[in-house]
Amino acid sequence: MRLHFLRAATLPTALGILPLLHPHQAPAQERPPPEVQVDSTRLRIFEQLERLSRPPGIDSTWYVPDSLLSDSALAEREARLSGRRPAPTSGAARRGMGAADSVMTALMELEGYALTEYSSEGADFGAQTKQLVLVGTADSRARLIREGEELTADSALIYSDETGKVWSEGSEAVYQPAEGDPVTSRRIVFDLNSSFGTATDARTRYTAGADWNLRGDQLLVGEEAVFGHDIMFTSCEEEEPHYHFAADRIKIVSNNILVARPVRLYFADVPVMWLPFIAQSTERGRASGILNPTFSINDIVRTSRGYSRRVSNIGLYWAASEYWDATVAMDWWSGEHTSLTGLLEYNWARQFLTGRMNFRRFWSEDGSTNLAFDAGSSWQASERTSLRFQARYASSNDLVRRTSFNPREVVQSIDSEGGLSHRFGFGNLSLSANRRQYLSDDRVEMTAPTLSFSLSPKTFFQASPAQARFYNNITWSGSANYRRSTSDRVAQADSAFTPSAADRVSTSAGLSNSLNVGNLSLSTGVKMADEITMGVPVDFDSLTMLAAGHEDQGETDLSWNASLNYQQRLVGSTTLTPSLQVSGRLLRSDTDSLASSFVSAPARLSFGATLKSDLYGFFPGVGNLDAIRHKISPSFTFQYSPEVSPSVTQTEVFGAREVGRQKTLGVSLNQTFEARLKDEAAAERAMALDSIRTDSLNLVADSLRTMVRQAGPTFGDTLAMRVDSMLQEIDSLLADTTAGIQSEQEAQKVMLLSLQTSAFTYDFEQASETGEWLRGISPVTLSNTISSDYLRGLSIRVTHDLFEDSGSPSSGGEGGDAGPTRKFSPHLSNMNFGFSLSSQTALFQKLGALIRRGEEEEASPTATGGEEEEGEMDPFASNPLDEGSAIPTGTRSQSAAGPRRSGAGRVGEWRANLRYSLQRPRDETRPSNQMVQSTLSFTPTEKWEVSWQTSYDVTRQSFNDHLIRLTRDLHRWEAYFDFRQTATGNWSFRFEVALTDNSDLHFDYQQRSVQDQSGSRRF
């Protein structure tokens, strides 16, 4: 039974349409006796009345579709005509008022009226009480729908026209608002006039970062808000929740905010916390509001008198627009400082502009003020222009070292960089700058600007390779660069002044171009290098230990060169490149009286040749390796320059080595061990295709030869030539396909080992002058770099000091380069290596498969598992509101991301990174250094995750820093045990229990220790 009402009609008037919707059978009229004279007019009237008393028959007009009826109404009407039971309609269809005839449809579409629908198995209406009772059952509930709002009951819905109220009877009633989640209750009373409803023993849910379940004795539900008392709400989906909040009063403003007071937190049925109120935004996306302060329990109740309280994150968040937002937060640290942090983030996707600006202002207890900021932006202004910058700064390095609890922050430099690039139609322009602030020695190095411009290669007399002559496809290109860098160091005393530790300003610039004609190339270039040493003491008095003044001393070096090269391929990949070069140089120096103005060196002419080749060795495969190839790539470069005739001034300024005869040989060597993996499927496809190729050629050849014999001598010769051509095409096609499969098999390669050796040069003239052949080798160090695909992330760099010099320098050479003795004595001076491992690394997967005795596991030979997976969160990543960092780095999204887990994966999975560095000077008086850095993440159980990052000083046999985090999953909560120790000696321990669905709700205990300015420990 379904009734439709218009709000403008009163209930009795609306019920007047019931007889029209459900016509009943009228009583039949008796026919006149046969003896009575028939009145034709009267007879026609009785026949019409008799037809009215019959059930309605098939009317042809029913087959004409009514344009006013919906599709569901037409389907229901056709079902009634055919005697079928109408198919049940969905909730959306029921809200769409179901079936109606054309008149009812026209009434429902009248403007200015609101429609109300009642649906039930039966209905009773009291004319005197003006109450409508809709009877429902478990299978067909009584339903009321009005303006998108729906009210259903399992027993009955009662509507009073006088009061305008509807209430439910039975064990369960459900109210579904036009938007939002339904409210299930034992009894609901709804006022149609005020659009308010009251529910007892109600249950509902709302979404605010998570799905929250609400239960309460009484709720007052309206279009704008929901009110209630004695409410329990939780995000736990269990029937008996692990935790819940209980509030005496609660108000939920639709799609805006939830406010509850007072609030008690229960774990199971045990109360653990009382809060005066809770205010939680229910809006989706960003919303302005007050930040939740961060403090630990011992900041409220101190465990010792020396403990310094700290309260942070006191501030506001402002979602100004969909393009940008801002945050202001205050941090108070008793006995140390008060700071104010401001965050500004913007993201204008339509203009490809995104970035952030973070700053933090410190007011220390001693009265000093400091500033730190972190900013970054990226803007793709056009298809050809892009702008980016990353700026970090701290006005006091001591503040960072003293107050930071971030081990990464105190050992890393504070870096800033930015750049602009633009692509013209004729070339590319790049402008960049960078700044690096070292916390270890308070050194600041800055490069600004770095400018480079390169012309797009121009090709003259273009022609195809088949038609090209020697003058075709001539290519010309050019480039220019400029760079200025400064080094700001700690001021030195005049008595201990060292030029290498003084402030410096370095400037360099260059122009170059090249012209290529086939294998012949002509290149020219000009370079300029200027270096200024700042604040050099002048007229230093050794008695008074004072200088009369300070001055800047500079040196400028100009050089030019022009070279002609020709590359000739010999055998395979072996090439020989002879060259001819002319060069010159000009020098000016403030420290040399002879070069107070530019002095030019004699122009030098040099001849050279470079020989490059690739040598291969092949070895049989092992295991799943089909074959192994050893590739050696040597390179030899020989340069010869005859002696020039310099002047006395040129000899004194540039030295005898610069103007004398020069003869050098440079050697470099690179090696790789590659393996081809077995691909049995590809090999089988190649063999099968080769067999098909042979059979197909034989079959086609026999058929075509038969056609040739049948053609006779007239067309036999011509047809035979065509047959041979067709056979060649078929053979070529099948051969290409086979080669493609073989090349696919060939492409499955893996790099077993790559060994890159640094180049060295042998100077024949240097060895001849000193009388020692070892003196001709430079540099005196040799470096080797090793990598492999089987251990992705593996990088080993080993540097050896090859020679040991003894005795005092002689006059035969310059400075310390010439000595009486030099012996070959390799000494490991530097080594750096690192690698990444995980439970998914191929080696450990295979070991696991062996342990499980044949359990099938797919493992890629190049799988690593050492690199972070996409989307993995760093459990130690800092955010701009992190109280443990001095510089506010990162974005607000990291602060609002909530609890961070290590992401180690399933139970038993692990990930480890290891880095080792060694510095070992040959001179035993100089200190050596060994450092090991490692990161480990693993999941010992389903609920626990462990992350550990540390660095160990092997020389001092002590740990420099620690970052340890233990995470325990408590269903909807997470517990964290964090320990941090920095290289400066600061450490902190923090225990935190945070709600996963709302990271702002957390309970902390924190203990920290720092050094004050006097050097004593302070807790």
Side-chain angles (χ1 to χ4, degrees), residues 166-185:
V166 177
W167 62 91
S168 65
E169 296 289 347
S171 60
E172 184 185 73
V174 179
Y175 167 67
Q176 174 66 63
E179 295 182 0
D181 297 306
V183 177
T184 303
S185 175

Side-chain angles (χ1 to χ4, degrees), residues 29-347:
Q29 300 293 331
E30 297 182 359
R31 295 181 179 272
E35 62 275 6
V36 179
Q37 187 177 0
V38 177
D39 187 347
S40 58
T41 302
R42 188 170 181 271
L43 181 61
R44 287 195 297 273
I45 294 174
F46 274 98
E47 289 177 352
Q48 293 175 2
L49 293 175
E50 186 177 2
R51 284 197 297 269
L52 292 174
S53 65
R54 298 195 190 113
I58 298 176
D59 191 347
S60 60
T61 58
W62 283 91
Y63 291 96
V64 180
D66 192 344
S67 60
L68 297 176
L69 292 180
S70 62
D71 294 339
S72 59
L74 289 173
E76 187 173 350
R77 188 174 68 178
E78 292 178 1
R80 289 201 307 269
L81 291 176
S82 59
R84 293 182 285 106
R85 184 176 181 179
T89 58
S90 63
R94 289 194 299 268
R95 289 194 183 190
M97 308 313 298
D101 57 14
S102 59
V103 176
M104 185 57 64
T105 302
L107 291 175
M108 288 188 296
E109 294 181 352
L110 291 177
E111 296 181 358
Y113 293 87
L115 190 66
T116 301
E117 177 184 1
Y118 299 92
S119 176
S120 66
E121 289 295 322
D124 293 328
F125 178 72
Q128 294 181 353
T129 60
K130 295 183 180 181
Q131 287 187 352
L132 174 64
V133 179
L134 303 178
V135 181
T137 62
D139 297 332
S140 179
R141 300 170 65 92
R143 179 175 291 103
L144 181 150
I145 303 175
R146 179 177 180 269
E147 294 185 345
E149 300 175 344
E150 182 176 352
L151 179 63
T152 63
D154 57 355
S155 295
L157 283 177
I158 303 175
Y159 169 72
S160 174
D161 185 64
E162 291 183 349
T163 60
K165 294 182 179 179
V166 177
W167 62 91
S168 65
E169 296 289 347
S171 60
E172 184 185 73
V174 179
Y175 167 67
Q176 174 66 63
E179 295 182 0
D181 297 306
V183 177
T184 303
S185 175
R186 180 174 54 83
R187 180 182 176 88
I188 293 181
V189 180
F190 195 81
D191 192 332
L192 296 177
N193 297 324
S194 61
S195 297
F196 266 100
T198 302
T200 57
D201 192 15
R203 300 181 303 278
T204 187
R205 61 190 302 156
Y206 76 96
T207 301
D211 294 330
W212 296 85
N213 302 309
L214 273 74
R215 298 180 183 177
D217 290 341
Q218 187 171 1
L219 285 176
L220 183 60
V221 182
E223 295 180 352
E224 300 296 334
V226 175
F227 301 88
H229 63 80
D230 297 332
I231 302 298
M232 183 272 287
F233 57 97
T234 178
S235 61
C236 183
E237 65 277 1
E238 301 292 337
E239 183 65 25
E240 295 294 333
H242 296 113
Y243 87 97
H244 68 274
F245 295 95
D248 295 346
R249 297 288 186 270
I250 191 171
K251 175 182 179 181
I252 305 176
V253 181
S254 178
N255 297 324
N256 191 355
I257 194 172
L258 177 148
V259 180
R261 63 177 180 87
V263 180
R264 297 169 298 279
L265 172 62
Y266 288 82
F267 287 165
D269 57 351
V270 179
V272 296
M273 181 63 65
W274 178 89
L275 298 173
F277 70 92
I278 280 183
Q280 173 66 45
S281 174
T282 61
E283 294 182 351
R284 296 183 180 272
R286 301 174 304 127
S288 302
I290 301 175
L291 301 179
N292 287 348
T294 300
F295 55 89
S296 60
I297 296 176
N298 51 335
D299 288 322
I300 302 175
V301 180
R302 290 193 298 180
T303 56
S304 64
R305 291 185 177 181
Y307 180 79
S308 299
R309 291 188 174 98
R310 189 168 188 178
V311 181
S312 59
N313 208 39
I314 305 173
L316 301 170
Y317 168 72
W318 180 31
S321 71
E322 60 182 358
Y323 302 110
W324 66 280
D325 54 34
T327 304
V328 177
M330 187 183 70
D331 174 25
W332 173 73
W333 188 356
S334 175
E336 176 57 39
H337 64 247
T338 301
S339 66
L340 183 67
T341 303
L343 315 178
L344 175 66
E345 294 186 40
Y346 51 90
N347 186 359

